[in-house]
């Protein structure tokens, strides 16, 4: 198991971050090791009857990083490049994020190596149900709770909830979060990650004195997170000058209307064909002259090859792990780009997932205003703690956020002791 983790570049990135922080904090080796390795790593094969009658086998994964303070929590990703190592890295980041935000969860992540854009709806349903069935021995509302991530959505969660509920014989909405609202989902969960990104971008712009004029914003990845952040920032008065997806992007100096772009894509058009805008590549988007750059797609997009060409004032990491360790070392020295690190920047999603789980457990649902208010208060608290810790230690902002999360987990493990 461990050799494959070690080979994954995304796992290497998470591990390098972890070792940097435990080194800065001068923690003993035994404490470092205990929190590094995942508690459980599950590999399954997911056989799916395809629409043409053939059977295909897809590899499926779930990694539960630690169960020291509550159930594990984390998304499920459908993407052709998913590996056990990537999922292990994403599970670690979830742990640190939950600890940073004071949520009673360890981190987890799951994935199936498939291209969801090439599967029919019924193939996706069979794949999701079979993956859920394979995971039943390892999940539960107090063991491990899944949510949408790259390539999955509310419908995926509805199928998972149904499969688990049929297995136990009664409805268990709290087995997943990010469900449709009429199955026990929470108000605002769909847009929660984007709302959080927009909130922190505005807070940071304010502190840098950039709020006097409309912020010019470029967003890589116009999916659930990128589109919701764009719509919210546009509502706050920002100019969304460029957006992209896996096929490329569009740019308009005077600003795009993100709701119109989302509507265009939903009607089945390609984003790159959006009218009255210039086509650009993803690489061009990342290096546009703008106030805020938001990578909201996949890992390792800001690298040592493009980091020196970034022309933003704020780098808001909506994706998980969008910046490589080499690029981050350059950003750390470069004081004119202010980073909002991923474990803080995209925490709005897991915060509202936590609210959804709590609402499901008590079968008592909150209004949209209540969810938003609680989300902003919880994000503000995490943001404030990172700023205070940074002032106290002089750490770079990513190191401050990671150190807060990691020390909380290590402390919880010490308090519980080692079983037996
Ligand atoms: P999504 O599948 O809804 O959207 C992903 C977008 O990225 C799509 O527009 C896709 O075309 C684009 N994309 C994929 N590969 C790309 C590439 N190589 N180059 C450029 N664009 C590419 O996924 P999402 O839920 O919006 O997640 C995006 C990121 O945010 C992921 O890193 C995910 O882990 C992270 N995240 C998501 C949530 C959530 O609530 N969904 C919460 C926290 C973090």
């Amino acid at each position: 198991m461990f050799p494959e983790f070690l080979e994954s570049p995304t796992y290497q990135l998470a591990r390098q971050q972890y070792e940097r922080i435990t080194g800065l904090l001068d923690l003993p080796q035994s404490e470092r090791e205990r929190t590094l390795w995942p508690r459980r790593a599950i590999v399954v094969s997911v056989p799916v009857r395809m629409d043409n009658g053939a059977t295909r086998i897809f590899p499926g994964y779930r990694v539960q990083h630690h169960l020291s303070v509550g159930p594990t929590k984390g998304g499920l990703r459908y993407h052709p490049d998913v590996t056990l190592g990537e999922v292990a890295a994403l599970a670690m980041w979830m742990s640190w994020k939950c600890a940073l935000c004071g949520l009673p969860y360890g981190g987890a992540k799951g994935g199936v190596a498939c291209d969801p854009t090439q599967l029919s709806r019924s193939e996706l349903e069979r794949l999701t149900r079979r993956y859920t069935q394979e995971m039943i021995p390892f999940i539960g509302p107090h063991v491990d709770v899944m949510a949408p991530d790259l390539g999955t959505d509310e419908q995926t969660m509805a199928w998972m909830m149904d499969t688990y509920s049929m297995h136990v014989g009664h409805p268990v909405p709290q087995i997943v979060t990010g469900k449709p609202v009429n199955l026990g989902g929470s108000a605002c969960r769909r847009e929660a990650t984007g709302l959080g990104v927009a909130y922190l971008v505005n807070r940071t712009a304010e502190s840098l004195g950039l709020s006097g004029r409309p912020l010019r914003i470029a967003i890589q990845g116009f999916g659930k997170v990128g589109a919701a952040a764009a719509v919210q920032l546009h509502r706050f008065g920002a100019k969304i000058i460029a957006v992209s997806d896996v096929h490329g992007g569009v740019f308009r100096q005077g600003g795009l209307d993100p709701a119109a772009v989302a509507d265009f894509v939903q009607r089945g058009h390609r984003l790159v064909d959006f009218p009255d805008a210039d086509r650009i590549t993803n690489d061009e988007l990342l290096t546009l002259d703008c106030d805020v750059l938001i990578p909201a797609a996949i890992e390792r997009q800001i690298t040592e090859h493009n980091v020196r060409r970034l022309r933003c004032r704020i780098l808001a990491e909506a994706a998980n792990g969008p910046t490589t360790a080499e690029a981050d070392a350059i950003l750390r020295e470069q004081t004119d780009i202010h980073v909002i690190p991923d474990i803080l920047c995209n925490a709005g999603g897991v915060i509202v997932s936590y609210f959804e789980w709590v609402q499901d457990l008590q079968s008592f649902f909150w209004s949209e205003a209540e969810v938003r208010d609680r989300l902003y208060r919880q994000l503000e608290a995490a943001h404030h703690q990172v700023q205070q810790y940074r002032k106290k230690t002089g750490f770079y902002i990513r190191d401050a956020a990671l150190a807060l999360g990691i020390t909380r987990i290590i402390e919880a493990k010490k308090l519980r002791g080692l079983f037996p």
Side-chain angles (χ1 to χ4, degrees), residues 24-194:
L24 281 173
L25 298 173
D26 201 19
L27 294 175
Q29 195 57 30
S30 58
E31 286 179 18
R32 294 185 194 196
E33 290 263 320
R34 238 192 116 191
T35 309
L36 173 64
W37 300 114
R39 171 79 176 257
R40 290 184 191 132
I42 303 143
V43 181
V44 294
S45 26
V46 184
V48 178
R49 189 170 304 109
M50 308 301 283
D51 293 345
N52 65 6
T55 300
R56 271 184 69 187
I57 313 288
F58 297 90
Y61 308 102
R62 185 75 181 165
V63 172
Q64 299 167 347
H65 181 242
H66 80 90
L67 277 152
S68 301
V69 294
T72 49
K73 183 86 194 74
L76 170 66
R77 153 175 301 207
Y78 290 170
H79 191 275
D81 301 335
V82 165
T83 62
L84 184 60
E86 177 184 87
V87 169
L90 289 158
M92 271 211 268
W93 284 324
M94 276 302 288
S95 281
W96 306 337
K97 188 186 306 180
C98 291
L100 171 64
C101 296
L103 307 180
Y105 293 136
K109 205 75 171 191
V112 178
C114 67
D115 183 350
T117 64
Q118 299 303 311
L119 298 177
S120 70
R121 184 183 160 91
S122 53
E123 287 167 344
L124 277 173
E125 177 173 356
R126 289 194 288 275
L127 178 135
T128 301
R129 289 187 182 279
R130 184 59 189 252
Y131 173 82
T132 309
Q133 176 64 41
E134 295 299 331
M135 287 297 149
I136 280 177
F138 310 103
I139 59 176
H142 295 286
V143 182
D144 185 13
V145 180
M146 300 208 199
D149 190 69
L150 202 69
T152 56
D153 58 15
E154 288 183 2
Q155 180 60 72
T156 323
M157 294 304 114
W159 289 327
M160 295 193 87
M161 178 244 175
D162 182 67
T163 306
Y164 188 85
S165 300
M166 293 308 284
H167 174 79
V168 296
H170 57 87
V172 188
Q174 59 273 26
I175 185 63
V176 288
T177 60
K179 307 174 284 294
V181 169
N182 58 3
L183 287 181
S186 175
C188 285
R189 174 60 188 90
R190 186 181 299 165
E191 60 275 33
T193 311

Side-chain angles (χ1 to χ4, degrees), residues 100-101 344 351 377-387 404:
L100 171 64
C101 296
L344 176 64
I351 291 173
R377 276 195 278 141
Q378 200 131 357
L379 266 183
E380 181 58 37
H383 167 80
H384 179 73
Q385 286 166 22
V386 172
Q387 296 302 336
L404 272 172

Side-chain angles (χ1 to χ4, degrees), residues 77 79 90 97 109 148-152 189 193 220-226 244-246 282 296-299 301 318-320 346 349:
R77 153 175 301 207
H79 191 275
L90 289 158
K97 188 186 306 180
K109 205 75 171 191
D149 190 69
L150 202 69
T152 56
R189 174 60 188 90
T193 311
Q220 184 203 35
F222 196 68
K224 296 184 294 298
V225 175
S244 72
D245 68 10
V246 66
N282 269 294
I298 55 169
E299 302 86 53
Q301 296 299 295
N320 286 304
N346 66 33

Side-chain angles (χ1 to χ4, degrees), residues 15-27:
R15 188 178 174 158
Q16 276 168 356
Q17 290 177 344
Y18 180 77
E19 282 172 355
R20 179 177 159 77
I21 300 305
T22 50
L24 281 173
L25 298 173
D26 201 19
L27 294 175

